[in-house]
Amino acid sequence: MFHHTRIRLAVTAAAAVAAIGLTACGTGSGSGSGDEIVDKPKANASAKADSGKEKEPAAEKSSAAPDVAKVGDTLALKGMESGSGLDVTVVKVVDNAKSGDEFFAPEDGNRWIGVQFQLVNTGTKVYSDAPDNSAKMTDDQGQQFGTTLAEISAGPSMSSDVRLKPGAKALGWVVFEVPKASKPATVTFAMDSGFAQQVGEWKL
């Protein structure tokens, strides 16, 4: 019996060590439980922004290396399952967005900020998720805000049930409701409804 007790204690200790290791890996900031912040834009994203110049892309690429992603940049993200991946672009941001429904508006003291995302399935599996669950906004005080279901006049909302075969893309607005005094600092996106390890982050 003493022998069995020692075995149980050893197994319990091993489980505790594993749990500590997993906790340490999951202490990243951003959207969900991710432990890897992805904020370096894809190289071709910068090249697209200046199609009129042919001699500068190489220099542009090297100078852009230390930069962090901003509006207009694309981040390559992976999901939890092997073969799942997205190229995610923050296309536009509209602060103090106007409601597309005259009967629906932000609560008193708040405002809406619309972020237009483009999602391209770069994986080998079908992407099926609710992108609204994947995005979060953080202000300069560190306060985090999830998305809210709202229609804005800037354009069509992102579907709440997006299904993309490999190579397909989706475009749409997601809306955040934040206090009028808040200054948005970053917006994040993680696959698997925010639970993927990789978290894309854009500076606003």
Side-chain angles (χ1 to χ4, degrees):
M1 183 171 179
F2 178 69
H3 178 67
H4 291 305
T5 302
R6 286 178 60 189
I7 292 175
R8 285 199 298 271
L9 286 173
V11 171
T12 303
V17 170
I20 292 170
L22 289 173
T23 303
C25 289
T27 53
S29 60
S31 174
S33 58
D35 65 339
E36 179 186 351
I37 299 297
V38 178
D39 60 3
K40 298 296 182 290
K42 292 187 69 176
N44 62 351
S46 297
K48 287 180 182 178
D50 194 356
S51 57
K53 299 179 182 179
E54 297 187 5
K55 293 185 178 180
E56 294 189 358
E60 205 170 328
K61 181 177 179 181
S62 61
S63 63
D67 290 347
V68 296
K70 55 188 182 303
V71 177
D73 286 332
T74 300
L75 297 177
L77 301 177
K78 297 296 182 183
M80 291 189 292
E81 289 188 44
S82 176
S84 62
L86 285 179
D87 272 1
V88 183
T89 307
V90 170
V91 183
K92 297 177 184 177
V93 176
V94 174
D95 200 344
N96 208 14
K98 295 182 179 179
S99 176
D101 181 349
E102 61 178 319
F103 300 107
F104 193 39
E107 293 185 7
D108 289 343
N110 291 347
R111 73 187 194 277
W112 284 345
I113 298 178
V115 179
Q116 188 182 43
F117 283 98
Q118 177 179 275
L119 312 178
V120 179
N121 186 353
T122 58
T124 57
K125 297 183 177 181
V126 172
Y127 168 78
S128 179
D129 202 0
D132 279 357
N133 295 334
S134 296
K136 284 186 180 179
M137 182 172 287
T138 304
D139 68 10
D140 61 350
Q141 300 300 310
Q143 299 180 101
Q144 283 194 342
F145 306 94
T147 58
T148 184
L149 295 177
E151 297 286 337
I152 58 174
S153 60
S157 297
M158 180 71 76
S159 171
S160 59
D161 183 17
V162 173
R163 297 175 186 271
L164 301 175
K165 64 183 180 180
K169 64 182 179 180
L171 179 71
W173 291 87
V174 299
V175 181
F176 301 87
E177 183 164 343
V178 305
K180 288 183 177 179
S182 285
K183 295 181 180 179
T186 63
V187 63
T188 60
F189 189 98
M191 293 183 65
D192 303 301
S193 286
F195 289 100
Q197 289 184 332
Q198 287 192 335
V199 180
E201 182 178 87
W202 293 258
K203 279 197 171 184
L204 300 177

